[in-house]
Structures are given as C-alpha cells and as structure tokens.
Amino acid sequence: MNRTTTGPQATATADTDDRDLAHLDPDFGETRELDYDATVPRGLVHRNAVSEVFVTDSRQTGENTFDVAAQLPRGHVMLETPTYDLPLILEACRQTGVLISHRHLDVPLDRAFIMHRMSLHISDLDGLRQGPEPGRALIRTDADLYRNQAGKLRGYDFRGDVFINGTEVAKATGALIFLGRPAYQALRTKGRDALDWSDAAAPRAIPASPAVVGRRDPRNVVITDPVQRGDEGWRATVVPDHDHPHLFDHPLDHLPGNLLIEAARQVAVAAVARSAGLDPVTLVPVSVDASFSSFCENDLPTTVEADLAPFRSDERFGPVVGVDVRVNQQGTTNSSFRIEVAQWV
C-alpha cells in the first residue's frame, strides 16, 4: 500500500518524497494574516491530485490551538448546487486535521492516520452560498492530545469553528490516531483474516437515478435505489466507483470515510423524500455525526440501512428529521451515522 486517505475513518500514509515538508510553525505566537494565494504541498494533506488540495495556510495560535485557511473551489466534481455542500466542508476539515498533525505536531509523514469519529453541525445555511469568487474558509481549531507512557503522541481529538468569508457556518469535531506502517498492516491483516471471503465475488450493483438521492451528476451517485424495510426503515447497497476523482483520489485498501458519509447522506435524503413526499433536491443535511468502528472492505458487499425519527421543529431550519444510518458488511456494522435533514428551497 502506497498511501491511503480521504475522509473520516480514512487511513493515510504520505509519500516519503515529501518528508522534508513537515515542520513546526516558524510563526508560532505571531498574528500574521493567513495566506490564500497557493495551496500547501499535497503530501501534507494526503492527496495525490493538486486540484484536490483545499488548504492554503496555517498558524499555531497557542499551545494546542491552530488557525487553518482553505479555498473552497466553485467547479468541484462534488459541487452540484450554488451552495458549498457537505463533502467540501468535511474535506476541508479533514485536511485541517492532517495538516496540523504534520506541520505543527511533528507527526511523521509515513504514519497511518485513522479517523474514529467526525462531526459537522451547520449553523448558517445562507453562509454556505457561493459568491463571485472561491470561498475563503477559516477553521479555528483546538486539540486535546493524547500520548503513550513514553510521551509519544498517539493521536488527538479536535474541535473547530468553520467560517466562510468571515461568517461562522458550522462546528466540526474529529478524533485521529496515528499508527506506524507495521502496526497498521498487522491491524489490517488481522481484520481481513477474520472475514468470510466466500461471498466476495458479488456482482456490481446498479446506481440509483441521481434525482432519487438528491444528486444531479450520475458520477456522484454511490448507492442503489433504496428499498423500504419496515415502516420507517430503508436499505440500499453501496456502489463505489474506484475511478472517482474525489472519493478515490488514490488507491485505497478499504472504502474511505467520505464515501461512506456520502452513501449515508444519500440513503437519508432518499428515505426522507419518499417517506414525506418531498423533492430530494430540496433536502440538505444540516448535521452529521459519524462513528467508524472498523474498516469497510473494498471487496465485500456493503449495505446502508436508514431509520427515520419523527420531524422536529428547528428555529434555524424549520422542520428537521433525524436519520440513523448503519453501514454493514457480513451482518456487522462497520460505521454508524446520525444525520439531520432539512428542506431548503
């Protein structure tokens, strides 16, 4: 395995050619303005394509606090509406956590990164609207570090306030741990050895129509047409496209977290639309809480199951419905999500 990453529950090992790029912030303690003129080297955020790098600059503002700047593109493959959507904000937050690790916490670039938890709670939908120029994001982050008995950094929990063009639009959290390559490979081997590979040759499923899941571009549809299970439950099969330029920026040995979040989002939107008779295009997730308990294998059938809660009233967004989503392989839940969906016309 060369390098793996992408979103939550993504493992990442960076190109060793970029080792000299990791450094502590020489401007620590200064109040310089963050720069939006160029992105950081791709190795610092575990991306292969330069076009997939959003982060442009960072500074350490305190012992465990950091400011990270990112430019949000207006022509990204996942961006299908006039607003900055969930995948772009989550990716900016993921890159923030990885950049802080390498640039400011001196985590070596050959470490594997595992994201156990991640959340995003939107507070201002209007603040996500695109303007005439690419959005300038600022993510103000603080970290709770945890170390082993020898004092070596093992990982950290982070919290971030997300601003776009000066307006606070969301709050994010995450939990990262770091593993050396041998430990990561041992973990993966143990996990795969415990699985039943007799059903690994399942045929590739057919993606749903984009309109069913609130998408416009067929390339971005990652589940089959959901079917109902019980009164308030729905099920679909995950359909990964390993050539997708964002979801599979580089080869991976598991299904990446951002793909699983997108699958959860799509089954949640489809379930709410069909249960309430709404247009999927008008539905937008306003929060996601993701928990990743084990790796989701590339080469096994994967399903997503959604259960709807009753609508509730939210003073910011109007009627909002919570959806609990589970990602399953071989009868085991690999990850779970709580997604809240609102209608925004």
Side-chain angles (χ1 to χ4, degrees):
M1 182 185 68
N2 176 28
R3 183 162 60 115
T4 54
T5 183
T6 55
Q9 196 262 310
T11 1
T13 58
D15 291 334
T16 53
D17 293 342
D18 293 332
R19 286 178 187 274
D20 59 334
L21 300 174
H23 59 281
L24 295 174
D25 188 356
D27 299 317
F28 172 64
E30 295 187 7
T31 56
R32 66 179 179 84
E33 292 295 320
L34 291 175
D35 189 359
Y36 288 86
D37 287 344
T39 57
V40 301
R42 59 189 175 85
L44 290 181
V45 294
H46 303 165
R47 278 307 204 183
N48 267 3
V50 174
S51 60
E52 285 295 321
V53 180
F54 300 164
V55 170
T56 60
D57 198 6
S58 65
R59 65 186 174 203
Q60 188 166 358
T61 57
E63 183 177 1
N64 293 317
T65 59
F66 313 88
D67 285 353
V68 176
Q71 185 185 78
L72 302 179
R74 296 194 298 162
H76 195 271
V77 63
M78 299 295 290
L79 189 59
E80 299 180 358
T81 69
T83 61
Y84 290 111
D85 204 359
L86 192 71
L88 268 69
I89 307 300
L90 283 170
E91 177 62 14
C93 293
R94 185 202 67 82
Q95 291 186 17
T96 291
V98 176
L99 180 70
I100 288 171
S101 303
H102 291 315
R103 175 172 279 180
H104 301 288
L105 301 178
D106 209 22
V107 176
L109 284 160
D110 62 353
R111 292 295 185 267
F113 280 42
I114 300 177
M115 185 80 78
H116 277 307
R117 299 185 308 277
M118 193 169 191
S119 75
L120 182 72
H121 290 246
I122 295 171
S123 56
D124 186 345
L125 283 171
D126 285 328
L128 298 178
R129 294 186 188 275
Q130 295 185 58
E133 297 180 354
R136 289 192 169 197
L138 170 65
I139 304 169
R140 288 188 166 153
T141 307
D142 64 270
D144 292 330
L145 311 184
Y146 35 96
R147 302 178 183 274
N148 60 19
Q149 292 182 342
K152 185 176 181 180
L153 183 65
R154 295 182 58 249
Y156 65 90
D157 298 341
F158 67 86
R159 297 169 299 278
D161 298 322
V162 182
F163 299 81
I164 297 179
N165 299 328
T167 298
E168 184 173 356
V169 298
K171 293 186 180 296
T173 68
L176 273 170
I177 65 170
F178 316 121
L179 292 176
R181 184 182 295 271
Y184 173 72
Q185 294 291 4
L187 178 67
R188 293 294 288 123
T189 299
K190 180 179 179 181
R192 288 179 65 84
D193 285 348
L195 296 171
D196 176 9
W197 292 98
S198 61
D199 61 349
R204 186 177 186 274
I206 302 300
S209 169
V212 168
V213 297
R215 281 295 189 181
R216 292 179 171 84
D217 190 338
R219 293 179 299 173
N220 293 332
V221 178
V222 299
I223 64 171
T224 59
D225 198 321
V227 297
Q228 193 163 8
R229 36 172 287 278
D231 293 336
E232 300 295 338
W234 297 81
R235 179 189 291 113
T237 298
V238 178
V239 188
D241 176 5
H242 294 270
D243 294 322
H244 194 282
H246 173 72
L247 300 174
F248 289 90
D249 168 73
H250 49 272
L252 298 165
D253 70 347
H254 59 277
L255 295 182
N258 56 358
L259 168 67
L260 300 180
I261 289 179
E262 182 62 22
R265 165 250 185 85
Q266 290 183 15
V267 74
V269 165
V272 172
R274 288 181 170 172
S275 296
L278 303 176
D279 183 351
V281 174
T282 68
L283 300 177
V284 57
V286 293
S287 72
V288 57
D289 292 276
S291 176
F292 303 94
S293 54
S294 59
F295 290 95
C296 205
E297 303 297 340
N298 268 328
D299 37 7
L300 287 176
T302 307
T303 61
V304 282
E305 294 182 345
D307 293 300
L308 275 65
F311 276 89
R312 66 173 181 84
S313 178
D314 187 285
E315 61 181 11
R316 298 163 301 174
F317 308 124
V320 171
V321 60
V323 186
D324 292 312
V325 180
R326 298 170 300 281
V327 176
N328 302 316
Q329 283 188 331
Q330 295 190 345
T332 299
T333 297
N334 301 84
S335 53
S336 57
F337 308 87
R338 173 72 173 188
I339 297 176
E340 291 197 317
V341 177
Q343 189 174 37
W344 193 40
V345 181

